[in-house]
Amino acid sequence: MPDADAAPLECSGVTKRFGRFTALEAVDLVVEPGEIFALLGPNGAGKTTLIGCVTGTSLPTSGAIRVFGHDVVREFRQARRLVGLVPQEVSFDPFFTPLQSILNQMGLMGVRPDRARAERLLEIFSLLDKKDAYTRNLSGGMKRRLLVAKALAHAPRLLFLDEPSAGVDVELRQELWSEVTKLRERGTTVILTTHYLEEAEQLADRVGVIDHGRIALVERTDRLMSRFSQNRVRFQLAAPLHAMPPGLPEGSVRVSPRELVVPWSEPGELARAIEQVQALVGVDNCEVRHTSLEEIFVKLVSEARA
């Protein structure tokens, strides 16, 4: 049985080397119960390698990894049964049906095959009407949904989603996001890797940034957005402005005689800037911009490399 007080995932000094290449270096990471944790990083940063070390497809060179208190090397059976994995690659036996795929997954994970549960999973992911079709005949989006259903076959307490919405359309991506949120509400801890930064911004309670095999930062998403926020308002002026007027917030920039960019952090500051510029030269148009997680991510990775 899992330790009720143990973290869903705890990595201590995890290093993974492939010959002379170090894919992970001294990774320390603790994931809290019931959270959605977004692990972000550029291609080759070490995200999939770390997932492989946790899920048993790869062994760490050094360090320790525990899943709900179980060491993933010494207690691999107990640890593995608590983990579900949705991999990047879409891979199925083309001669199995979706129903057979889920029943087989249950058996592989040491769970008695349960047809009723398998059909409930297919219904959740809108695949029940395809339960007896060959998987090779499913669309790309259906295959991606089936991967998630398979990963949930043994009711894991920790779920890895490695680029779950890669290559799917916007509608399906929204459906997947909705199901991930429901999983968290039911107590499943979710670790998500994604290149869609808005996905992490909307879903994740905390964000971890990894680059060159090292964890550069772990922080709550809302605090991260607040700490690095650089909101701006861009004014198209009604008349030319030949010099910067006094009193505008620090960091204001005159881009051209008829274009002015002013930073702001609170709504009151924004309102004052608009009133001041309107009174000074008049405003034809203004565009308010909020800093996105994507902009913050690029900044963090650049700083980590520097």
Side-chain angles (χ1 to χ4, degrees):
M1 292 291 292
D3 185 341
D5 297 322
L9 176 64
E10 184 177 0
C11 299
S12 303
V14 176
T15 297
K16 176 63 180 178
R17 296 189 180 93
F18 297 93
R20 298 173 63 182
F21 174 70
T22 301
L24 297 172
E25 186 165 0
V27 170
D28 293 323
L29 178 65
V30 177
V31 175
E32 303 295 336
E35 74 171 337
I36 298 177
F37 184 90
L39 184 63
L40 307 179
N43 289 331
K47 303 185 297 295
T48 300
T49 300
L50 181 59
I51 291 174
C53 289
V54 177
T55 58
T57 59
S58 184
L59 291 175
T61 304
S62 61
I65 302 173
R66 293 178 178 84
V67 172
F68 292 101
H70 295 292
D71 187 282
V72 299
V73 177
R74 292 184 289 104
E75 302 172 283
F76 66 91
R77 287 189 178 88
Q78 297 94 319
R80 186 65 184 88
R81 286 176 182 171
L82 295 168
V83 176
L85 170 64
V86 180
Q88 288 185 35
E89 299 80 13
V90 176
S91 177
F92 295 101
D93 187 314
F95 298 103
F96 284 154
T97 67
L99 180 60
Q100 290 169 333
S101 293
I102 294 178
L103 292 173
N104 289 343
Q105 184 73 7
M106 290 177 176
L108 289 170
M109 299 307 299
V111 175
R112 184 184 298 277
D114 182 341
R115 184 185 178 96
R117 172 172 171 75
E119 291 186 345
R120 279 199 302 275
L121 286 169
L122 290 172
E123 185 175 15
I124 287 171
F125 292 98
S126 304
L127 291 169
L128 190 57
D129 61 335
K130 300 290 186 181
K131 68 177 182 178
D132 296 320
Y134 286 129
T135 55
R136 65 176 183 268
N137 294 329
L138 300 181
S139 69
M142 290 176 181
K143 290 176 181 175
R144 183 66 64 180
R145 291 202 299 268
L146 181 54
L147 277 178
V148 183
K150 277 185 63 179
L152 297 173
H154 60 295
R157 293 182 56 191
L158 173 63
L159 179 65
F160 282 94
L161 300 173
D162 196 5
E163 302 285 352
S165 54
V168 303
D169 59 35
V170 174
E171 184 177 2
L172 176 54
R173 194 178 306 154
Q174 293 288 345
E175 289 177 10
L176 288 172
W177 292 3
S178 175
E179 290 305 323
V180 168
T181 302
K182 290 175 185 175
L183 285 170
R184 191 259 306 276
E185 291 170 354
R186 293 196 288 265
T188 303
T189 302
V190 178
I191 298 178
L192 167 77
T193 76
T194 179
H195 281 114
Y196 296 103
L197 276 300
E198 74 273 18
E199 192 166 59
E201 189 172 339
Q202 289 192 29
L203 292 176
D205 300 294
R206 288 195 302 155
V207 169
V209 176
I210 186 171
D211 188 39
H212 286 87
R214 292 174 175 268
I215 297 292
L217 172 144
V218 174
E219 192 161 348
R220 285 194 57 85
T221 309
D222 54 356
R223 291 178 189 166
L224 185 67
M225 298 298 294
S226 174
R227 187 154 68 93
F228 287 90
S229 178
Q230 292 181 328
N231 300 323
R232 300 174 296 280
V233 55
R234 181 180 293 268
F235 293 100
Q236 298 293 332
L237 306 176
L241 182 67
H242 299 291
M244 282 294 295
L248 289 176
E250 184 179 353
S252 299
V253 177
R254 187 176 68 93
V255 180
S256 70
R258 285 185 176 269
E259 192 170 2
L260 182 67
V261 176
V262 177
W264 61 278
S265 57
E266 297 179 353
E269 202 171 42
L270 172 63
R272 285 192 296 274
I274 293 174
E275 290 174 4
Q276 186 175 355
V277 175
Q278 176 66 37
L280 187 67
V281 291
V283 176
D284 280 344
N285 190 23
C286 66
E287 177 188 4
V288 178
R289 284 204 59 198
H290 299 269
T291 304
S292 69
L293 182 59
E294 184 166 355
E295 291 171 297
I296 294 173
F297 170 74
V298 171
K299 176 181 175 65
L300 289 171
V301 170
S302 297
E303 289 179 353
R305 290 179 176 178

